[in-house]
Amino acid sequence: MADSHTGCLCTEIVHTHFGPLTSKVASALLTRGRLPLSQLVVFTGLKPRTIRASLISLIQHNVVWHVQNAGEPEMFEVNVDECLMRLRYGRYILQAEKLFGKPAAEIVQVILQHGKLVPPEMFSLLRITDPKTLLVYKQALHKLVAGSYLRASTPKSHVSPKDRLIQYEIDEKKKIVGFPTAKQLREAKEVAEARIKQEDDETEKVGLKRKAKEQPGHRNSKKKAVEDETVVDDEVYFRINCERFNVHIRNTLMTTAAKERFNVQAAVVLEAAIRATEKAQLNLSDARTDPISVSNVMMQLSDVGELSSGLAYPSKKVSAGTCVKDYLGMLSSADNPTPAGKAGAFISFGSSKVQVEFETISRRLRRQVLEAVTREKHGSEGVRILRLLLGTGKMDEKQISKVVLMAAKDVRPLLAAMAADSIISTQEVPKSADRNPTRTFYLWYVDLYKAYAAILEDTFKTLYNISARRRAEREAPEVKAVLEKSQRTDVQQDESLLTRIERETLRDWEAKEQKLTVLESRVEELVFILRDLAVHGIEDLD
Amino acid sequence: MSRGGGRFGGRGGGRGGFAGGATQPPMGLTFADLQNLSREATALYPARHLPVFTDATEDEGRAADLQLGLISRLKDSQYYIVEKTRSNDLPRYSDKYRPSLTSQPALKRKELHAPFFPSELLEDYFNPKRRKKTVSKSGKARVNIDELLAEDEEEKSDDERSDAGSQNEAEDYDVDEEDDNDYAGNYFDNGEGDNDDDLGGGGDDGGGGGDYD
């Protein structure tokens, strides 16, 4: 179950990808929570056969979980996170191409199209017959699986994690003899959670199996044998591991932030530092990377000569090592060892080991989003008030107007407008026992949870509007007629059957569609910063 | 905006303030401020500075094209669910070129891995006319009691209730009629025997008294 804006957005995504009938099913599940098939028939008003087809399609694409517990029929539930990730599929394919080349991109593309596939099916859908290309694709697949970009899909992954936790807790509680104490209940819960974690870890290992040793004799070198021992298991269904791709999106965001803060070369150094530990970054929940040595960073840098152009040195010739060390010093705010400086740093540079601070950078990116939204809605005065309240906690209106150097009559409407947007909130401190408004202090402060949640809600609404706009443009009469005509088989073979005006309409429509999709991906980045990067927690460390 | 600001703290404070006598409006407003609040309505669509859409970079354009390609391929795939409707339009020459409704691919059983799906779902979709097996439903407390009596028709009638539009309704209907439930014949008393003048015996007693056998 999801709140109304997330639900609307997910319904719209399902509509675009799977059609209007499937979106009715998804909408019923999102507004009413888990439902069995019989209730879906009642709430959607569709034929049972259509509902079954929609559910099969959604389960195949991992959008719907299903579970059968004792005493109830098969229940279906929507996996909201997976649904929202569908907006990023274009970026994932592009990322796979950048990392491993076109074969890997095609494999990722075909898996995204079908939800999950076994390797033989992948190759047959890509129509690979020639054994040489087959080998190339197999190598690409191996790299994807070994780098955790693809993960195995098991029957357990089709059950919602909450359902599994409840089920395991019930199993553990059954083992308790007699009347359960609070401690035993807590232990049961912890054991259940540990069991889930263990099963998830096991699934991660599924997918690569050891190759049967064909030549027991004769090994050239021990190193070679170790590398060739794992081979992709042909019986396992693989799906995309969104977390791993999200790591790359996060890294791109951080290097862009470094570029905006300092210069291009500093961003290059940061990128090299991140790349040094990329293999170990499996999900977004790492607060910082493992420690990297400076020489490691330098190894990842391809063009060291360019770096010195980003810094101004008194002497002409500086060694690459000094250059890199200077950049690292800049990125770690070595000149400002106060807490404020640390909050503005990108890396922590201690005893010649570098660690990229993901948590700090995420927090800063979120703060920048909040300030940008406030600036757009309330102008620079609003940002002044916001920064003051973020820095000092709770303040009375008179104090605010004094510190911010604005007249009270200007401050008051701004405070009210910002509170209406949920950016700031009031704390009432009553002077008397009855909460008489004339005799209470109203302290203003920034409630970060509420502010970020309000902005996220607006972002979901925006994404929904973009998608609805794209749909509406497609259904405008001229465009619709031209699109239908272009679907005809004779037109698809011969473009000249379309008139000049029709071709222009088609080109305009394609340009509009691309613009809207690019806009959608830009807004989606906001969702990424606010939602996915918030995995470390939202509150500022003071 | 300013009106909103003036009213924000005045939830009941105005009334309380006047009654108390000693008073100022809350939140530091003065009466002069309140008088000076503008009483004109703010514009329905105030002037806005709309942000300009910067051109897509190459990467963004490529990612957008890949996303749109994926969506259009999904639209023509078996995962885009459509219902086949019959249209009453006259047949046209261009029908042979237009993609007909039957050209949408259908879900194929061999492409779906059965352990990932609920077995009932797959079975009911791919074999719609199969005989419904009387699978015993455990977990319902009521079933245990009736287990001794008429197990079969309880489950069959549950089945037909839970699958709306089940095709087996026709053949199960007969079984429902002839169940040997004790109450079937004499539960409903439609008042036919009520007009009898004699009070004690009669038809309705026979019907009601049957319960106490």
Side-chain angles (χ1 to χ4, degrees):
Chain A
M1 189 142 178
D3 66 283
S4 69
H5 298 293
T6 325
C8 277
L9 177 61
C10 290
T11 314
E12 182 66 30
I13 294 174
V14 171
H15 187 119
T16 325
H17 292 215
F18 298 107
L21 301 169
T22 320
S23 80
K24 275 203 193 137
V25 174
S27 152
L29 286 172
L30 283 159
T31 37
R32 296 175 198 266
R34 304 154 88 223
L35 290 175
L37 185 67
S38 48
Q39 291 197 319
L40 270 175
V41 174
V42 169
F43 290 132
T44 53
L46 295 172
K47 288 194 285 208
R49 188 168 166 76
T50 317
I51 298 182
R52 286 198 188 100
S54 314
L55 285 170
I56 291 178
S57 184
L58 290 173
I59 292 177
Q60 174 69 12
H61 280 88
N62 310 310
V63 174
V64 158
W65 287 308
H66 63 93
V67 71
Q68 169 134 45
N69 291 326
E72 51 179 21
E74 191 84 30
M75 303 289 269
F76 301 98
E77 190 181 351
V78 169
N79 182 353
V80 173
D81 290 328
E82 191 66 39
C83 202
L84 293 174
M85 303 276 191
R86 293 191 76 87
L87 290 171
R88 296 184 199 150
Y89 279 1
R91 285 183 84 157
Y92 292 167
I93 303 174
L94 191 66
Q95 187 66 49
E97 186 175 335
K98 279 193 188 154
L99 286 168
F100 300 119
K102 256 193 131 4
E106 287 185 19
I107 292 176
V108 169
Q109 211 166 17
V110 83
I111 294 181
L112 285 174
Q113 220 168 303
H114 289 264
K116 39 175 116 46
L117 291 172
V118 267
E121 270 179 27
M122 280 183 227
F123 300 133
S124 78
L125 281 164
L126 289 170
R127 296 204 186 91
I128 302 169
T129 42
D130 173 33
K132 249 193 280 180
T133 33
L134 189 63
L135 191 60
V136 169
Y137 278 86
K138 275 199 174 158
Q139 281 172 350
L141 180 64
H142 185 271
K143 277 192 227 154
L144 285 170
V145 175
S148 311
Y149 291 92
L150 300 178
R151 65 183 171 107
S153 184
T154 55
K156 281 214 169 56
S157 58
H158 288 87
V159 180
S160 145
K162 280 232 165 61
D163 271 316
R164 276 165 71 194
L165 187 63
I166 294 174
Q167 192 55 42
Y168 293 161
E169 268 190 55
I170 294 177
D171 288 340
E172 294 297 320
K173 283 183 191 162
K174 277 198 205 139
K175 293 186 195 155
I176 298 177
V177 178
F179 202 72
T181 65
K183 183 162 173 235
Q184 280 173 325
L185 290 173
R186 234 194 350 260
E187 277 170 13
K189 191 164 186 181
E190 281 165 17
V191 171
E193 282 171 2
R195 190 170 153 192
I196 287 193
K197 193 163 181 322
Q198 189 198 15
E199 283 178 356
D200 285 343
D201 287 340
E202 275 171 19
T203 3
E204 278 182 23
K205 296 200 186 62
V206 176
L208 287 177
K209 64 169 190 222
R210 302 183 90 73
K211 189 156 69 172
K213 296 233 168 48
E214 283 151 8
Q215 299 147 352
H218 222 16
R219 274 203 220 155
N220 292 342
S221 71
K222 283 259 166 69
K223 272 190 237 164
K224 236 189 186 177
V226 167
E227 267 203 40
D228 290 347
E229 266 179 23
T230 54
V231 123
V232 178
D233 195 343
D234 271 352
E235 317 247 322
V236 171
Y237 275 82
F238 285 106
R239 51 180 280 201
I240 298 292
N241 185 7
C242 295
E243 277 282 312
R244 191 78 176 87
F245 285 103
N246 287 346
V247 163
H248 285 281
I249 298 182
R250 173 195 66 185
N251 296 345
T252 328
L253 270 173
M254 297 195 170
T255 40
T256 326
K259 188 165 79 168
E260 284 171 5
R261 174 76 178 84
F262 298 108
N263 59 15
V264 178
Q265 288 84 358
V268 167
V269 170
L270 187 66
E271 197 186 354
I274 293 179
R275 219 180 315 135
T277 52
E278 209 157 60
K279 289 204 176 38
Q281 293 161 10
L282 289 179
N283 51 25
L284 290 174
S285 56
D286 301 328
R288 56 187 63 81
T289 58
D290 302 328
I292 319 162
S293 64
V294 182
S295 45
N296 222 338
V297 174
M298 288 190 53
M299 266 196 319
Q300 298 287 336
L301 284 170
S302 47
D303 191 359
V304 189
E306 282 281 313
L307 285 183
S308 54
S309 60
L311 293 171
Y313 281 110
S315 58
K316 280 288 172 180
K317 276 215 187 121
V318 267
S319 72
T322 343
C323 230
V324 169
K325 280 210 189 82
D326 282 335
Y327 275 115
L328 290 174
M330 248 168 43
L331 286 167
S332 64
S333 296
D335 54 341
N336 188 358
T338 62
K342 277 212 198 55
F346 285 84
I347 61 178
S348 57
F349 187 18
S351 63
S352 81
K353 287 281 186 189
V354 173
Q355 280 181 300
V356 182
E357 296 283 336
F358 293 131
E359 198 176 338
T360 322
I361 308 179
S362 314
R363 198 164 276 138
R364 212 171 43 247
L365 286 174
R366 268 202 303 280
R367 180 83 86 87
Q368 281 173 1
V369 167
L370 180 60
E371 286 182 9
V373 169
T374 322
R375 190 182 296 275
E376 278 222 23
K377 288 192 179 170
H378 307 284
S380 50
E381 285 95 21
V383 177
R384 265 153 71 179
I385 298 179
L386 177 76
R387 282 200 181 143
L388 166 70
L389 290 175
L390 277 171
T392 53
K394 298 183 171 64
M395 264 187 147
D396 187 34
E397 187 198 37
K398 280 205 215 60
Q399 272 179 301
I400 293 180
S401 72
K402 245 190 273 176
V403 177
V404 141
L405 303 173
M406 275 162 47
K409 68 171 171 54
D410 293 326
V411 167
R412 219 168 294 128
L414 259 181
L415 287 174
M418 281 165 62
D421 284 330
S422 304
I423 299 176
I424 60 183
S425 332
T426 41
Q427 169 70 49
E428 296 163 8
V429 180
K431 287 190 232 184
S432 53
D434 59 338
R435 311 256 159 157
N436 194 345
T438 49
R439 269 195 263 278
T440 56
F441 287 116
Y442 288 95
L443 300 178
W444 296 91
Y445 70 107
V446 180
D447 184 353
L448 282 173
Y449 281 102
K450 200 157 103 170
Y452 289 137
I455 299 179
L456 190 61
E457 207 174 272
D458 280 343
T459 324
F460 283 149
K461 272 200 256 188
T462 313
L463 283 171
Y464 174 84
N465 286 344
I466 296 173
S467 192
R469 172 71 186 258
R470 198 169 44 204
R471 230 185 334 138
E473 295 269 347
R474 181 182 286 135
E475 273 151 35
E478 310 89 30
V479 179
K480 190 169 181 191
V482 172
L483 280 174
E484 271 180 15
K485 188 169 177 188
S486 70
Q487 293 289 322
R488 286 170 54 150
T489 47
D490 52 350
V491 170
Q492 282 184 339
Q493 286 169 356
D494 182 9
E495 277 281 321
S496 64
L497 286 175
L498 291 171
T499 66
R500 188 180 55 89
I501 296 184
E502 284 175 347
R503 258 176 276 159
E504 270 181 29
T505 323
L506 200 57
R507 261 203 302 272
D508 285 338
W509 153 246
E510 279 171 11
K512 260 190 226 167
E513 206 183 12
Q514 203 209 41
K515 268 196 194 165
L516 283 168
T517 314
V518 169
L519 182 63
E520 194 179 49
S521 78
R522 286 179 187 171
V523 176
E524 216 280 323
E525 243 180 41
L526 262 185
V527 172
F528 183 81
I529 296 176
L530 291 170
R531 200 160 186 261
D532 295 87
L533 286 184
V535 70
H536 308 125
I538 284 186
E539 291 300 333
D540 278 340
L541 296 167
D542 271 323
Chain B
M1 282 304 172
S2 43
R3 208 196 293 144
R7 261 209 243 132
F8 190 80
R11 279 171 277 137
R15 206 170 19 92
F18 285 128
T23 68
Q24 290 287 320
M27 313 233 321
L29 286 171
T30 62
F31 289 109
D33 285 338
L34 284 174
Q35 264 184 330
N36 292 340
L37 281 178
S38 160
R39 280 178 184 75
E40 288 163 19
T42 49
L44 186 59
Y45 292 111
R48 269 188 69 190
H49 165 67
L50 289 173
V52 177
F53 182 77
T54 54
D55 283 332
T57 63
E58 198 185 311
D59 276 347
E60 281 178 333
R62 277 225 62 209
D65 288 334
L66 287 165
Q67 177 87 5
L68 288 170
L70 198 67
I71 292 177
S72 71
R73 272 193 299 273
L74 266 177
K75 187 160 192 303
D76 294 326
S77 75
Q78 65 263 44
Y79 302 111
Y80 195 94
I81 310 293
V82 289
E83 265 178 4
K84 296 188 176 40
T85 53
R86 286 192 206 100
S87 71
N88 291 330
D89 296 340
L90 296 167
R92 294 167 154 215
Y93 177 75
S94 58
D95 276 352
K96 71 175 180 186
Y97 293 119
R98 269 188 283 130
S100 66
L101 283 161
T102 48
S103 61
Q104 188 89 15
L107 289 163
K108 294 201 188 62
R109 190 154 193 181
K110 54 181 164 65
E111 288 174 2
L112 303 167
H113 188 49
F116 291 153
F117 297 89
S119 52
E120 270 181 33
L121 193 68
L122 279 182
E123 286 296 317
D124 288 341
Y125 184 71
F126 289 109
N127 303 11
K129 295 189 180 55
R130 74 176 174 113
R131 300 213 159 261
K132 292 240 182 321
K133 288 196 296 215
T134 56
V135 179
S136 78
K137 283 205 169 96
S138 66
K140 279 202 180 155
R142 277 171 47 228
V143 177
N144 290 330
I145 297 170
D146 293 322
E147 214 168 353
L148 302 166
L149 301 173
E151 175 175 308
D152 275 325
E153 78 267 10
E154 282 292 332
E155 263 115 42
K156 275 200 206 127
S157 54
D158 275 341
D159 265 354
E160 63 186 333
R161 257 186 266 122
S162 63
D163 296 323
S166 144
Q167 279 95 342
N168 290 340
E169 196 129 36
E171 55 176 302
D172 278 345
Y173 196 66
D174 302 331
V175 182
D176 225 4
E177 285 283 339
E178 6 170 303
D179 59 6
D180 42 317
N181 197 333
D182 275 354
Y183 296 102
N186 46 21
Y187 178 66
F188 176 60
D189 169 23
N190 60 1
E192 266 183 349
D194 279 1
N195 287 332
D196 283 343
D197 282 339
D198 46 359
L199 299 162
D204 48 354
D205 248 359
D211 295 350
Y212 301 107
D213 276 354

